[in-house]
C-alpha cells in the first residue's frame, strides 16, 4: 500500500487520531507528551500512530496535511493542529466537547 493511501486510511478509520513521536504511555518528545496528556484528560479513546516507527508516514504526512510538525491531531478526518493548538483548545475548554461529540458520533455509527 502506498504511504499516502495508508495515511488516508488511518485518518478515515480512526475518529480521533494522534500522529506523535512515541506512544501516549511512552512519548518520545515533550510536545507529543503534552498533546497525548490533553487527549487522555478528555476521557475518550483515541488512536495514535508512532511516526518514529513509521518513517514513511513521518516523511509524507507533513506534505499531505500541509502541517510541518508533529504531533498532529485529526478528528473525523479533519486536521485540528499540533501541540500548541491542542493545549490552547484544552485550556479554553474547547477540546473536550469536540472529542466527546466525535466519540459519540463514532459510537452511534
Amino acid at each position: 500500500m502506498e504511504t499516502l493511501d495508508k495515511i488516508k486510511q488511518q485518518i478515515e478509520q480512526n475518529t480521533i487520531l494522534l500522529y506523535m513521536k512515541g506512544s501516549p504511555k511512552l512519548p518520545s518528545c515533550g510536545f507529543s507528551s503534552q498533546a497525548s496528556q490533553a487527549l487522555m484528560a478528555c476521557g475518550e479513546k483515541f488512536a495514535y500512530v508512532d511516526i518514529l516507527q513509521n518513517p514513511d508516514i513521518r516523511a509524507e504526512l507533513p506534505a499531505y496535511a500541509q502541517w510541518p510538525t508533529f504531533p498532529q491531531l485529526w478528528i473525523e478526518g479533519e486536521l485540528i493542529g499540533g501541540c500548541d493548538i491542542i493545549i490552547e483548545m484544552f485550556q479554553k475548554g474547547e477540546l473536550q466537547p469536540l472529542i466527546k461529540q466525535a466519540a459519540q458520533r463514532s459510537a452511534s455509527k
Side-chain angles (χ1 to χ4, degrees), residues 10-78:
Q10 289 169 342
I11 291 169
E12 281 173 23
Q13 291 178 347
N14 295 287
T15 304
I16 304 162
L17 176 61
L18 184 66
Y19 286 96
M20 64 180 292
K21 293 178 181 176
S23 69
K25 291 197 180 354
L26 283 171
S28 297
C29 84
F31 298 115
S32 290
S33 175
Q34 290 177 35
S36 60
Q37 285 178 2
L39 274 181
M40 288 188 282
C42 291
E44 297 292 341
K45 288 184 179 153
F46 64 94
Y48 73 92
V49 174
D50 179 355
I51 59 158
L52 299 177
Q53 301 292 324
N54 296 276
D56 53 336
I57 292 173
R58 183 180 188 176
E60 297 273 345
L61 186 61
Y64 174 76
Q66 298 180 341
W67 191 269
T69 59
F70 294 97
Q72 290 185 13
L73 175 61
W74 292 76
I75 298 177
E76 296 181 310
E78 188 177 329

Side-chain angles (χ1 to χ4, degrees), residues 55-107:
D56 53 336
I57 292 173
R58 183 180 188 176
E60 297 273 345
L61 186 61
Y64 174 76
Q66 298 180 341
W67 191 269
T69 59
F70 294 97
Q72 290 185 13
L73 175 61
W74 292 76
I75 298 177
E76 296 181 310
E78 188 177 329
L79 175 62
I80 303 303
C83 180
D84 292 347
I85 292 170
I86 295 166
I87 299 302
E88 185 179 323
M89 288 178 71
F90 182 78
Q91 289 171 343
K92 288 182 175 176
E94 297 168 354
L95 187 64
Q96 297 86 328
L98 191 66
I99 297 285
K100 289 253 183 282
Q101 291 162 6
Q104 287 170 348
R105 281 193 291 270
S106 176

